[in-house]
Every structure is written in structure tokens, then in C-alpha cells.
Amino acid sequence: MFSQIIERASRAKQTGLRKELEQLCLRMLSEGGSSNSAHIAGGIIEAFATLDARAKLAFFEFLDRSLGLDPVRVLEAATRYAEDPVAERALEVQRVTEPPRQELLRRINRAPGGTAAIVAMRRDLLRVIGEHPQLRAVDSDFRHLLASWFNPGFLFLQRVDWQSPAALLEKIIRHEAVHAITDWSDLRRRLRPDRRCFGFFHPQLPGEPLIFVEVALLDAIPRSIGQVIGGDDDATAPVANARVAAFYSISNCEPGLRGVSLGNFLIKQVAEQLRRELPSLKRFCTLSPIPSFRAWLERLDIDRLPEAWQARARAGVSTAVRELRARHGTGLEALAAQAAAGAVGDDDQRRLALCAGVFLACESTTGHADPVARFHLDNGARLERINAAADLTSKAIDESLGVMVNYLYDLDAIEANHERFVRGEVVRSRSIAGIT
Amino acid sequence: MFSQIIERASRAKQTGLRKELEQLCLRMLSEGGSSNSAHIAGGIIEAFATLDARAKLAFFEFLDRSLGLDPVRVLEAATRYAEDPVAERALEVQRVTEPPRQELLRRINRAPGGTAAIVAMRRDLLRVIGEHPQLRAVDSDFRHLLASWFNPGFLFLQRVDWQSPAALLEKIIRHEAVHAITDWSDLRRRLRPDRRCFGFFHPQLPGEPLIFVEVALLDAIPRSIGQVIGGDDDATAPVANARVAAFYSISNCEPGLRGVSLGNFLIKQVAEQLRRELPSLKRFCTLSPIPSFRAWLERLDIDRLPEAWQARARAGVSTAVRELRARHGTGLEALAAQAAAGAVGDDDQRRLALCAGVFLACESTTGHADPVARFHLDNGARLERINAAADLTSKAIDESLGVMVNYLYDLDAIEANHERFVRGEVVRSRSIAGIT
Amino acid sequence: MFSQIIERASRAKQTGLRKELEQLCLRMLSEGGSSNSAHIAGGIIEAFATLDARAKLAFFEFLDRSLGLDPVRVLEAATRYAEDPVAERALEVQRVTEPPRQELLRRINRAPGGTAAIVAMRRDLLRVIGEHPQLRAVDSDFRHLLASWFNPGFLFLQRVDWQSPAALLEKIIRHEAVHAITDWSDLRRRLRPDRRCFGFFHPQLPGEPLIFVEVALLDAIPRSIGQVIGGDDDATAPVANARVAAFYSISNCEPGLRGVSLGNFLIKQVAEQLRRELPSLKRFCTLSPIPSFRAWLERLDIDRLPEAWQARARAGVSTAVRELRARHGTGLEALAAQAAAGAVGDDDQRRLALCAGVFLACESTTGHADPVARFHLDNGARLERINAAADLTSKAIDESLGVMVNYLYDLDAIEANHERFVRGEVVRSRSIAGIT
Amino acid sequence: MFSQIIERASRAKQTGLRKELEQLCLRMLSEGGSSNSAHIAGGIIEAFATLDARAKLAFFEFLDRSLGLDPVRVLEAATRYAEDPVAERALEVQRVTEPPRQELLRRINRAPGGTAAIVAMRRDLLRVIGEHPQLRAVDSDFRHLLASWFNPGFLFLQRVDWQSPAALLEKIIRHEAVHAITDWSDLRRRLRPDRRCFGFFHPQLPGEPLIFVEVALLDAIPRSIGQVIGGDDDATAPVANARVAAFYSISNCEPGLRGVSLGNFLIKQVAEQLRRELPSLKRFCTLSPIPSFRAWLERLDIDRLPEAWQARARAGVSTAVRELRARHGTGLEALAAQAAAGAVGDDDQRRLALCAGVFLACESTTGHADPVARFHLDNGARLERINAAADLTSKAIDESLGVMVNYLYDLDAIEANHERFVRGEVVRSRSIAGIT
């Protein structure tokens, strides 16, 4: 009883706050471009921060309903424009087809801390959008503006190393999503002289990495993650002779920027910068997981492969899969256990590489594509080499049975590769072309 | 004959270059968000820079015709949305009503130097838009994106002083538009300790002031420009006791940003910063010209004033004007000559102040408004004082018969003042209210 | 046999290297101020770094014998000067009484990295000086020059916080000498908003803290180290209201600068800076150990106290000591055990405080002084409060039976306090004056 | 009468102030290294600044008399040391032979602004030292400490260009001592991309150039100053292909550092830095005046040349001089007039070059040496080429009849050259060796 009363009071208060917030928004939009809006914008940011989850949802619904498009005005303008497509009427169309909430966000952005506040708002929005698909139109406006503001041309690339502020390094530890950083000593090893870490930063969010990539400078393209992380500080190789830069981890830090593509730009800018700094570098590659490989392999049905691949797959892959399943169970449990123990035999390693090669080569342009493969191939990389028994951590076993891939970035070929990929072709090294 | 052949060859070459540029644009737009576009964008920037004026115009027409809206698709989407206004159809409307040239500009912005290149393109566009009004739709897209990117939230305020780089100071000398800076000594005096200069800068255009404002720290609200500029280095007053900050000049530096309002934000940010830095400051005001005063006064016809003002104007202004015209000619030539000589008598000074007060108070919300008055009043300033014989330079005589105005920025009242101005009221000091 | 041969060969090689080094030194000194010496200096630095400990010792002996004073020339110059004390002869005295090794060090300092190399040389010298007291003259020249170059006027004070480079913070962890920092989390707590850390840095040794101090911002003068370190991140108090800044740790980082006093300047500069930054701060104090208290107490013999104190000590302290010894043994083992367990009773606490008070008050100007007490009292601090059971870590029990002291820095009184201390008086708070 | 009274009062006041200052100095020296001295030092700096010239002189005399050496104690210590030259007695000698004013200056240096204050004090001292030679001992202590503190290892080299602060550039204009900078436009030309300017700065005197050098990047070693300064902005040559860096001006900015050699280090550091930055550079040379050439030539008496040169000089120079005097008068007035008009004939040009070559080659190690020649030759440069009619400004005509010299810095030969110069040899290019 009592707690119900309290909750009702609290909810009433939240509703009041939310309505005030909505009034502020409407008032700011009514200002004819006045600079006072920076002041109101500050109030909006503060007010939003006091809302609880339920009130925030209601506010997002307000953005949807009250600050969206007006179908009648849209249709009128479109009709007039179709009748006589002159500049003036085109402008009228654009005016009525941009939802007022876009202007609202632009004005919020004028306040100190505005950009960070908008990113945070979108974080909240993305949390509820799954259950409230009608908010996708609202989210589209957030994403549209953030993509424009977090344009790679506005970001700056910054090296992260042991001279970086501890507050920044702490965020690197927290956000590393591919190969977890266990502690400060582990981080220190990843920032030693023959390793590199670079992040993208926005001028309005100093000290906040948006995305970062970790690179190992090596003699040769690495076959396993053990060649890259772990081990001892003192084993630093002389950087001036490194021939290969291996991108082994790329992590987004800001969920509020989901859908704003930064990774592809980051990899290329880092490759360019390393090429300038270290002329000895001849090859830029990745060492990447295949997160959806095991699931694909367990459920593989040759008949559902793209037609062009079925004949080839029947010749090689189907035998390999049959044998793997026969020896290790349909769920490949025994194989996974062996992989975790580092005890996969040579034959099974060959089989796994064969299957992974076919998976990556034939599915990368279908709906079953591996997301990592899709990212790098669309980005213009070449499928270079499959490495079985390359990562024995439990996540890697669960997802990809320990297999890792090298994608190769040949900076002079990435445009051509990308275009071939867009036309449905996966560019492969000769060795992979051989097995697939 | 020969020169015609050369010209024809040159024109053919330019046409070829322009067509290549257009192909690059189309190709970049066909890329599905790929990071290669940064590379293509670099090519576009380079190619555009090689075009001559005629070819640039043709390129802008290409942006208009080929990368604008498609009336048919717009109408279809609008119709479907009007039938069923769901999120998905709203998104479809937004998709087809954003001209592809906006995405083109966003992608050009990814290249190093992209922002500067887009601003420069718009400079070129604005040069020809007067004679090619159909390009207004193209310009609208430029302006729309630039306003979003040069949002005050993304700019940083920077003090300009004698410690600033000479390369920056040289730009200040060049762009000062209100009271010309004659040489480095003059500049040095304007940057002495009891003067301030602040500019807005964009992170992508370091060292390039977008707009700057000059401020004098004084004991009292200044009555003439001579109290502010000119004079001797050594006369620096102790800053810690200054009571008044007088904004006496504000200049835009970047024609490519026309229509992107920055001045209003600049004044307020500077006022806030000065208030924090120098707690002794009690008043923030301007010392401003009235550029359209003389023209208005020469052609004044009481019957065309806003009705509410006609009675009052007949009582005071019409007499004043009649006397001025009688004594100095319809064009007020003799008055102008006296003003230039600093020899306007007290009576005429009173008459001029009266007329200027009425002009500013009654016309500021009409089509005959003075642009400077409109700017400050809409910005929330109050009309504080009229000063006759305040600027005797020839430009000032020609435009405003030497009269200058103080607009007062009471930081706690600017919101209210702005709202009253929007409703048609000009907020005036008691003394001005007295004469008007 | 074989290893002897190797060792002999190695020793011969070292001797060769050392002789080359000595030749370089002589050659550099023969250069008439030429700028080539920067080049030779680089060679000297490199050569020295290749020497082993034995060869370094031989080199220091070379500095002593060959680059020291010439008694005959010194006596001649002194005699001539005594005969006729004119400027010219004074200059001659100064010329022959400055050992050439000083000029040698000044010239080494011209090379890049010269300052760091000289500091490192002195580190090596100090390692052997105990067994080779004749090198004290050499060391005196090192110390003399380093004191001149590491003059506080040349150092810059820099705040160390969570925004500092990890490489710097790692050094803070390593060099904290009073209350060890266990790991990065412990460090993070010591850098939280209501804590401060400041270091002195030299422009030639960027990123190398020479000495640093840790400060807690509190409501009241702390009674135990537990109020200052340990505990939880989230317990950060609002800094703006802090009334007390407690210096609880000061650590030197550079053994090569032994004897160059920096700590006294550091404390005062930090206090001044905090006073400016946080006007709410009313008191600056320390929370300090008494490292030699237990040893003093165990061997206390009233008859050997300064005479002025014997009467008073007989009245109070002798009883207290007798009781403590009676209850806990002559070595006070049982008392130490109780202290470690945090179980010292009120009576024993009073007895300990009494004894510590007398120790600090009466011995601070004698040969039995506690070094920490001497440092702060000479620095102008006042003996403010004794806190028994204030630090229960084993080192603190071993050295001071868990007792800690607050020294108070009253910035307006430090000069007077210092002068009273120089005259043999220990300035005490009323409460301490009461018990002592 | 009245003015005498005033003057007497003023002098009494100054005497009082000076005596207070002296008391402060004695008090600071009595402090046993205490950190309070930073505070007293601030007082000393302030007090000194209030003294007039007469009182400053009296203060310098106080430094001489009261804070100098004590001949008795010096002799005692020297005697004891001569009896038994152990470390302890050597230290005692050093203690009593360092004048207390050195420690005074070191302590003044602890105050904020201490270094600048000491440099300024020495400026005042140097003004009066000519008439008060007994102050040379005091000055020697100033110079000794400043040389140690302004050791090139503590200075930083900084490029000065059009991005430098105007306040710094203003100082460059003011201090250019060789080829005056007429205004900001002239400065701008000297900072254009194919020119370079570098200065030495001290960390304690930011923004204050101590010395700076101007360099032209050229295709060939310049024959006249007109190839280097003057002319047009737009004529900037592509820097990447420059083969010669010509140092054409080097100016000291700080008279308080007289006798502290910086120029030689500056030239070499700049040459090293340019060599790294621009690998195309093959030769580093100067274009220098011969300030004492005309005076030498007018009074030339072959019999007073170094003996080794007399025979050669009789063969060539004496004829040349005779002819020049015959044609242009003993004072060479007509020749100077022709030079100023740019009308020196080829024969006279040859004669001038011959004489200048002999002057530089034979007198550079004698008491009649040209100071600029001495500087560069001692610095390891080679006498490369004589250029008649190379500078037609009036100062250049007056001093060197328009002749300029190129000294060549071959970075690999400067050590050897310097040593040959020290042994009395002037290293010359083949062409100069031919004429001399």
C-alpha cells in the first residue's frame, strides 16, 4: 500500500518533469534561431538527465508523435513540387520533410556538453527500441545527425601508448571487446614499443575514445593470437625492421554511435600512418575470429549453399564435415574439447581450415555471412589465410572452434577488391583459392 | 583567330575535367558507405580546384539537375506516407527528399581538408547565385550542412592577443570590416591589455578565424569611437577596475559561411567569459553604427511609418526633420559636411539623436529596419543611448551622419528582451523612451 | 683457470675504455670553450656508460687526482691575493680553486641528455663513496653543480592525477617511500578528487618526478593514517568545503640528487598553490611517522637528555617509561604486539604520547633528533599533536610503536618558527606544551 | 636651493632603500638553506628594482666589498691544504674561495622571476663596469653563474616563423643587429618558406629569444646580400631542392648575457637540424661582413704584419694597396663613394678581394683580427670566398667597403678546422689560398 503511494507520487513527479522538458523543447523550436537557445538547450539536457527510464520512453514517444512529419503537409508540398519542380518548391519539400526533432537536436548541440548529451540520449533510446519499433523513425534522425557530426573528417586519430593519461587507458581496458585485457600489466605489454594502439576521438569529447584498434608489428603474418598477446615485456622486437602490421583487435567504445561506421576509416588511416612512419612495413593484415563459424558448421546443409558452390562443396566440404561429425559428434563437442586442449590433430586442422575457407568464401555475400568477414571484405581486404588452432580461449572455441583468419589489406588493391566484393566476388589468396 | 582556337581548346579541356569530376561524384555516391570514399573525395576536391569559373558554374548546375530531388519518387513516397503514416514510410519520405548532393558533401567532408574545400566551393557558388537563382536549392543544401557543422557547440572561442601567431593577426587586419585597422601598430593598440579580441574557430580550420569581435574595457559606456580606438599605447587603463565592456566591432571572415549565424553566439559567449574573468565588469554594451540611418532620414515620409508611431513622430520628428532639411538641404549635404568637420551644433545633435531614436525604435521590426539594430535587438539587447557626432570617418558620415548607438546586453534580461522584440516591441532605456 | 683468463681480458678491455674516457675528458677541457665540446661530451657520456663498477671507481679516482686542485698554485694565488687584495688577484684565486672537474661537468651538460647522465654518474659515485671517503671532494663538486642546476627556480611544479601519463604514474607507484602503493587501484584512490599529488620536474628530465608529495583534503587534522589512505573510491568528500590539507607522504625519486634539498620548497609551493585554488582551506599540516622513536625510547637515559629537560623528564617521562617497561619488557615487545593488534589501552596511549612529545620537543635540536621532525621543524612547522595508535603497519610499529605526529604549517608563521628553531626552540601547540 | 633639498631627500631615501636591500641579502645568506629564502629573494628583487642608478652602483660595491673573499681566511685554508692536501682541506679551500655573493645569486634565483632579475641586474652592472673596473670580480661571479645556467644543454632551439607570436616577432625586429629589419613586411619576407629563423630560449624566460640566426635556403653560396634579403614575397623557391643554407645574420638579444657564448652552439644546432629536415642541403655557409676591414686597410703597414706573411704581402697586397690609395685617396674616400654607388670596377674589386683575403688569413690569429672572422674560424669554419661589392648599405661601406665573406661550415671538418685554427692556421678554400 504504502510503497504504491510512494511509487505513484514518484511517477507523477516524473510525468511533471517530462512535461516541463517537452515544453522546453517546443519553446526552443519556436525561437527563430536565437542564440538564447544555447541557454534553453542546457536546461533540456539537465531535465532529461533527471528522468527515469519510463519517463524517457514517454519523451521519445513525444519526439515521435509531436516532432515528426506531418503527412498532410508533406503530401501538399510533394504535390506542388511534382506540378512544377522549381527550386522554391524543392526547398518547401525539404522544409516539411525534415522532422522538427532534427532541428531540436541541432539546437541541443549548441549547449556546452551538447554532443555528449545527444549521444547519451541515443544510448537510452537504443535500449528500448527493440520493444518499441515505432521509435525507429526517431532513432533514424539521431543516427543521421550523429553520422554527419562524427564524420571521419571531423575525428582525429590519436596514438594510445604508455604516455597516455591513465584515465584514457582505463577506458581502453574496459572497452576491449575482442581479446579482453586482464589488468594494467597486460595493457602495458600491449602498448610496448613493437605494438601500436590508435583511437578516433571527437573534438567535443576529449579523452573519450570512440573506437580503437590494436596492432602488432611483426616479421611475418601471425598464425595464432599467442604470437601477438601474452608473453613477456622484454621480448620487444626492433620495430625498425618489422615487415608486417597485424590488426588483431578493433573495439567500439560508444554504444550511442551504433550504426555510424568508423572502423573501416580507422583501419585505413592507421595503415596509412604506419606506412609513413615505418617504411619497412610491407604488409597490413588482420588476425580475426570467425564468430559464426561453429554455428554454421554444426547446421551446414550443402543444399542451402549458393548454387555456384554446391558442386565444389560436395566434393570437399561435405566429406570433411561428415568425418568431423562422425569423429566428434554432431555438435562437434569432442572437437571443441580437443581444440580447447590444443590437441586437434593435423587432419582435423586441415578439415577445419577447408570448411572455414568455404564458409568465408561462399557465404560472405549471403544472409549467412560472418559479420567480421563481411566487414573486412567489404572494406577491400583479401581473404589471405586460415589458421586452425589459433585461439584456444573458451569464447574462441565456442564461436569458431579456435580457427582464426588473416585478412590482407593491400592498400593499392583495396578499391578494386571492394568493387569485386560488391559484385559478389570474394577475393582470395592463391592458397585459399586452392582449397576452396 | 588564333586566340579563339586556344580558347576553344581550353574550354574543351575544362569541359573534360568537369565531366571527370561529375563521374567521380556519381561513383562516390554509388559506394555503399565504403571508406574508399575518402580517397575519391580527395580526387573530387583536387578536380574542382582546377576548374575555371565557367566550368564551376556548369558543375553547380549538375549538382542542381542531377543530384537533386526526383519529383515522382517524392510524390510516391508522400502519398504512401499519407495513406499510412508509419515509421517505415516516414523514413522512406526522408530518404527520397534528401537530395543526393547532401550525401555527396558529407562524403567530400571525409577527405583531409574536406571542410575547407566545401566552404570554398560555397564561396564560388555564392558568387554566381545572384545571376542564377535556380541554384538556390543547391545553396540551401550547402548552407544546411555548414550550419550543422559550424554549430556553435563545435566551435571554440579563442582570445586573440599580441601573443597570437602573426599569421592569424594578419587575417584580423584583413577582415576587420567595421573600423579598418590601418597597420600593425594600430592592431597592437587594439590588443593592448585593456582591449580584448575574441574569435570563433572550427577544429578543422585551425588558425582561421570565422568571426571575431573587438571589445574595449572602460569606466563608462563610450560616447564616441574616439574613446575606443586611436590614441596612444601607454594610455592603458588598469583592467581590474573596468566597469564596462564595450563591443565596438564584429566582423565575419568567411564569406562561404554566409547565413550561418555566429555573431549572436559569439557576443554572448564573450560576455560570459569576461564576466567570469573580470568580476568588476557591470555592463556589457556595444558602440554601433546605424548604416541605413541617413538614407532613411533623407527619404522619411511620416505617413509610411507604422501607424502606432505616426502621432508621436508628427509631434517631434517631423519638426526636427523639417528643420534639418531647411538648414542643410534635402540630402542633408551641409549637415554631413559639418559632421565630418566635427562641427554639428548642439541643436542639430539633439535633432539627429531624436530622429535616430525614432528610426531605431519604430522601424526595427519593419521592412525598413537597420540591419545592425535588428541584429542586436533580436539578440536580446536593449536600445540604450544615441550618440551624435560619435564617428567622423567618411563612411560613418555617409551612412549614419556620424551617429552611433549603444545597445546594452543585460545578461539576465536578454531572454525577456528578445521575446518582447519578437512580439514587436523594442526595449529602450528610459532616456530613449523619453525622446521617442 | 679459463675464467681467470676471460676475466683478465675483460678487465684489460675495461681499463682501455676507461683510459680513452679520461683522454676524452682531458681533450674536452683543453678546448677553449669551443662548441665542439658538445660533440665530445656525447662521447664521454657513451663511454662512461660502458664501464663496469670497478672501472667507474677508477674513473672517479681520476677525477679526484687529476682534475682536482693543485695545492701549490692555490697557495701561490692565495699569497698574492693576501698581499694585495685587488679584483684581478681575487679572480686568480677563484680560477685556481675551482677544480677542473667542475668545468668538465658543465661541458658534459652541453650534450643532449647531459643532465641525466651527470645525475646517473653521481648515483654511481654515491654507491662507492662510503668505502672511498677520499672521493667526497669529487662528490662535493657534483652536488654543488646539481644544487645550482636543480635550483627550485628552475623546477616546475606539476600536479599528478588520473589524467597523468601512465608512465609517470608507474614511477609514483615505484618511488612512494612512506606508505607503499600496492597497485593501480590503490594509486587511483590516492588520486581521487579529494586527494592531491604534486611533483617537482626539471625541464631537462621531462616525465621524471624528482620528488613528490601526497595530500589529503579533509575536514579536520587527521589522527591516523587510516583516515587518509585505504578505504573506498566512492567516499570522495566535496573538495570545495575541505578545511585541512594534510601532507601525508613525501618521497624522493632520484638518489643522484641526494643532498639537494627540494622537499622544503615543494611543501611550501604546494601549500601556496592549494591556498589559491581552494580558499576554504584553513590549515596545512602533515601526518608523519617518528622513525627513530622506538629506538630512542628503548634506550632512554634521562641523564643524557639536554640539561634543561632533565627535571621535567624526571617528573613525567621517567615514570611513564618505567611503567611501560615494567608492563611490556625493556624492548617494549609486548607493547609493540598490542600496538600491531590495535589493542593499546588508553593509559599506555597517554604514556606513549607523553614520551613522544618529550622526544620531539627536547631532542629535535640535539644529535639524537628524529630526521622527520628535524626536517619539518627546520622548515618552520609547529609540533601540533601526537597521535598514538595511528599507524598499525609493521614498519610503523617497528619504528615508532604506531605513533604519528601532525606538524602544522601556518604559512604566516613559518619564518618566525624557523628562526626560533634555529635558536634551539621547538615551537609547540598548547596541548603539546601542556604535556611536555 | 629648493631642488637641492629635494635631491638630498631623494638621495637619502635611496640610501635607505639600498641599506634595507643589503640587510635582506645578509639575512638571506644567514638562513641555513631554508626554503624561506624564496620569500626573501622576492623581496630582494623588488627592492633592487626601486633603486636609481647611483644606489645600484653602491649596491654593486657592497657586493664587492662585503660579499667577496676574505684574504686571510683564503690564505689560511690554502696553507693548511698545501700542508696536507686531503679531501677535507680541499673542500675547506673551495668553501672560503667562493664569494658569498655567488650563494646570494643562487638564492635570488629561487624566487619566481629570479633568473630574469639576475640577468637584469647584470645589465645594470655592465653599464657601470667600464668606469668601475674594481667591479670586475663581481661581474665575474654573475657571468660564471649565468654561463652555468644558460648552458646550451638547458636551452631549447625554436624555429621562429610567421606562426610565431607577434610579441616574439616584435623582439626579432628590434634586436636584428646585422641587417636591420625595416618593418613587418620586411620581417614577413625573411620568414617566407625558403628562409629560416631559429632562436635559443631558456625555460625560465619563455618568449624571450636570447640569440637568433637567420638562414636563406638557396641553390648556391650567395655572393651578395641582395640575393638574400629584399625583393619580393612571391619569389619563394622550392625548399625541397635547396642545396645551400646560408647564415646571413646572427644577433644577440640579451646584453645581460654578454660573454656567455651561445652563437657557436646555435649555428651548429641549426645546421644539424636543417640537415635532418632537408636532406638536399649539401653546404652550410655564412654571408658575413668584415667590420674592421676598412680601418685595417687604411692604416696598413706591411712591416707590422706577422713575419710569415710579410714577403707574400709585399708581393701582392702592397701593390694593390698602393694603387687603391693612389686612385682613391689614403682614406679610400673615393673608393667608398664608388662602392656605395655600385660602381667599383673589376680591377678594384680584385684588389679589394686580395686585401680582404690577406687580412682575414694573416690577422685572424693576431691582435688585429676581425671579430666576425675570429668567431667563425674558431668555431671550425673555413674561409671560403671573398665577395666585393656585396653589400652597398652605408654601414657596410663604412666598415668593409662593401666586401662580404662566405665562411663554410663543413660539419665533418669543423673539429679539425678548429684545432688547426687554435694552432695558428686559417683554413682556406683553394681559391682564397691562391690569392693569399
Side-chain angles (χ1 to χ4, degrees), chain A residues 74-85:
Chain A
V74 168
L75 185 54
E76 282 171 5
T79 307
R80 281 169 46 79
Y81 179 51
E83 284 166 9
D84 185 5

Side-chain angles (χ1 to χ4, degrees), chain C residues 27 31 35 39 268 415, chain D residues 27 35 39 268 415 418:
Chain C
R27 185 170 148 220
E31 293 279 329
S35 61
H39 186 236
K268 285 170 193 172
E415 281 196 53
Chain D
R27 182 166 150 223
S35 60
H39 186 236
K268 284 169 193 171
E415 281 196 54
H418 160 74

Side-chain angles (χ1 to χ4, degrees), chain A residues 273-337:
Chain A
Q273 176 151 334
L274 288 173
R275 181 153 74 164
R276 274 194 304 274
E277 188 200 338
L278 298 168
S280 69
L281 289 177
K282 298 302 171 218
R283 319 194 84 182
F284 297 88
C285 70
T286 75
L287 181 65
S288 309
I290 324 176
S292 56
F293 175 49
R294 183 174 177 182
W296 176 84
L297 191 60
E298 287 180 351
R299 294 188 218 111
L300 176 61
D301 175 356
I302 304 267
D303 295 339
R304 296 179 59 185
L305 287 185
E307 230 168 285
W309 283 87
Q310 294 190 0
R312 259 177 299 175
R314 282 211 175 79
V317 176
S318 66
T319 315
V321 175
R322 198 165 43 236
E323 288 177 13
L324 287 171
R325 286 179 180 160
R327 290 161 45 88
H328 302 289
T330 315
L332 303 171
E333 298 83 6
L335 182 60

Side-chain angles (χ1 to χ4, degrees), chain A residues 38 55 57 89 95 193 216 251 317 323 361 377 419:
Chain A
L57 175 57
R89 294 187 176 189
R95 217 164 3 247
S251 302
V317 176
E323 288 177 13
L377 294 170
E419 274 163 29

Side-chain angles (χ1 to χ4, degrees), chain A residues 27 31 35 39 268 415, chain B residues 27 35 39 268 415 418:
Chain A
R27 184 169 147 221
E31 293 279 329
S35 60
H39 186 237
K268 283 168 193 172
E415 281 197 52
Chain B
R27 184 168 148 222
S35 60
H39 186 236
K268 284 169 193 172
E415 280 195 54
H418 161 74

Side-chain angles (χ1 to χ4, degrees), chain A residues 214-400:
Chain A
E214 293 166 80
V215 190
L217 305 177
L218 302 165
D219 284 337
I221 296 179
R223 291 184 176 275
S224 77
I225 194 66
Q227 293 173 261
V228 169
I229 56 178
D232 194 340
D233 273 9
D234 308 337
T236 293
V239 164
N241 301 329
R243 299 179 55 80
V244 170
F247 296 72
Y248 67 91
S249 180
I250 183 162
S251 302
N252 284 292
C253 306
E254 184 40 85
L257 292 179
R258 191 200 294 168
V260 176
S261 57
L262 300 173
N264 41 8
F265 296 96
L266 178 61
I267 286 179
K268 283 168 193 172
Q269 281 199 27
V270 167
E272 287 293 353
Q273 176 151 334
L274 288 173
R275 181 153 74 164
R276 274 194 304 274
E277 188 200 338
L278 298 168
S280 69
L281 289 177
K282 298 302 171 218
R283 319 194 84 182
F284 297 88
C285 70
T286 75
L287 181 65
S288 309
I290 324 176
S292 56
F293 175 49
R294 183 174 177 182
W296 176 84
L297 191 60
E298 287 180 351
R299 294 188 218 111
L300 176 61
D301 175 356
I302 304 267
D303 295 339
R304 296 179 59 185
L305 287 185
E307 230 168 285
W309 283 87
Q310 294 190 0
R312 259 177 299 175
R314 282 211 175 79
V317 176
S318 66
T319 315
V321 175
R322 198 165 43 236
E323 288 177 13
L324 287 171
R325 286 179 180 160
R327 290 161 45 88
H328 302 289
T330 315
L332 303 171
E333 298 83 6
L335 182 60
Q338 282 187 353
V344 176
D346 285 358
D347 286 348
D348 279 355
Q349 288 202 19
R350 258 195 308 277
R351 286 177 195 121
L352 278 170
L354 171 62
C355 293
V358 168
F359 171 44
L360 296 172
C362 83
E363 298 274 39
S364 288
T365 59
T366 73
H368 304 97
D370 181 75
V372 174
R374 225 192 134 70
F375 171 81
H376 290 299
L377 294 170
D378 185 52
N379 210 6
R382 178 171 93 173
L383 188 53
E384 186 66 13
R385 193 171 66 199
I386 315 279
N387 308 286
D391 185 352
L392 308 184
T393 57
S394 66
K395 185 179 159 215
I397 299 297
D398 284 356
E399 293 182 352
S400 53

Side-chain angles (χ1 to χ4, degrees), chain A residues 83-303:
Chain A
E83 284 166 9
D84 185 5
V86 291
E88 198 174 297
R89 294 187 176 189
L91 292 177
E92 177 63 19
V93 164
Q94 289 182 248
R95 217 164 3 247
V96 302
T97 58
E98 188 190 89
R101 60 188 168 244
Q102 281 201 20
E103 181 63 15
L104 179 76
L105 293 177
R106 278 193 293 267
R107 293 188 179 194
I108 291 177
N109 199 24
R110 289 174 187 167
T115 312
I118 292 169
V119 171
M121 271 186 196
R122 187 167 179 239
R123 253 185 337 244
D124 289 329
L125 174 57
L126 288 172
R127 272 194 206 105
V128 298
I129 205 170
E131 302 197 342
H132 302 272
Q134 81 278 16
L135 293 177
R136 272 181 305 128
V138 175
D139 182 55
S140 167
D141 289 316
F142 273 95
R143 203 202 57 74
H144 180 77
L145 287 172
L146 290 174
S148 181
W149 293 336
F150 287 79
N151 187 308
F154 287 149
L155 306 182
F156 55 97
L157 184 69
Q158 197 173 290
R159 184 169 168 194
V160 176
D161 61 18
W162 198 237
Q163 291 297 332
S164 300
L168 168 55
L169 296 182
E170 200 176 29
K171 287 169 191 158
I172 297 293
I173 294 179
R174 180 159 62 239
H175 289 294
E176 158 65 75
V178 185
H179 304 290
I181 300 176
T182 53
D183 57 17
W184 285 84
S185 304
D186 188 9
L187 174 65
R188 195 188 201 298
R189 279 191 297 273
R190 298 206 196 180
L191 300 176
R192 64 194 210 195
D194 61 350
R195 296 292 180 266
R196 288 288 187 282
C197 180
F198 291 91
F200 263 151
F201 295 77
H202 190 276
Q204 280 300 307
L205 303 170
E208 291 291 341
L210 306 177
I211 184 172
F212 64 91
V213 65
E214 293 166 80
V215 190
L217 305 177
L218 302 165
D219 284 337
I221 296 179
R223 291 184 176 275
S224 77
I225 194 66
Q227 293 173 261
V228 169
I229 56 178
D232 194 340
D233 273 9
D234 308 337
T236 293
V239 164
N241 301 329
R243 299 179 55 80
V244 170
F247 296 72
Y248 67 91
S249 180
I250 183 162
S251 302
N252 284 292
C253 306
E254 184 40 85
L257 292 179
R258 191 200 294 168
V260 176
S261 57
L262 300 173
N264 41 8
F265 296 96
L266 178 61
I267 286 179
K268 283 168 193 172
Q269 281 199 27
V270 167
E272 287 293 353
Q273 176 151 334
L274 288 173
R275 181 153 74 164
R276 274 194 304 274
E277 188 200 338
L278 298 168
S280 69
L281 289 177
K282 298 302 171 218
R283 319 194 84 182
F284 297 88
C285 70
T286 75
L287 181 65
S288 309
I290 324 176
S292 56
F293 175 49
R294 183 174 177 182
W296 176 84
L297 191 60
E298 287 180 351
R299 294 188 218 111
L300 176 61
D301 175 356
I302 304 267
D303 295 339

Side-chain angles (χ1 to χ4, degrees), chain D residues 47-99:
Chain D
F48 180 81
T50 65
L51 297 189
D52 62 16
R54 176 194 301 258
K56 282 178 179 171
L57 175 57
F59 175 69
F60 292 136
E61 284 165 345
F62 159 79
L63 292 184
D64 179 38
R65 278 189 332 271
S66 305
L67 299 181
L69 299 187
D70 175 342
V72 177
R73 293 185 61 204
V74 168
L75 184 55
E76 281 171 5
T79 307
R80 280 169 48 79
Y81 178 51
E83 285 165 8
D84 185 5
V86 292
E88 200 174 296
R89 295 186 175 187
L91 292 177
E92 178 62 19
V93 164
Q94 290 183 247
R95 218 165 1 248
V96 302
T97 58
E98 189 192 87

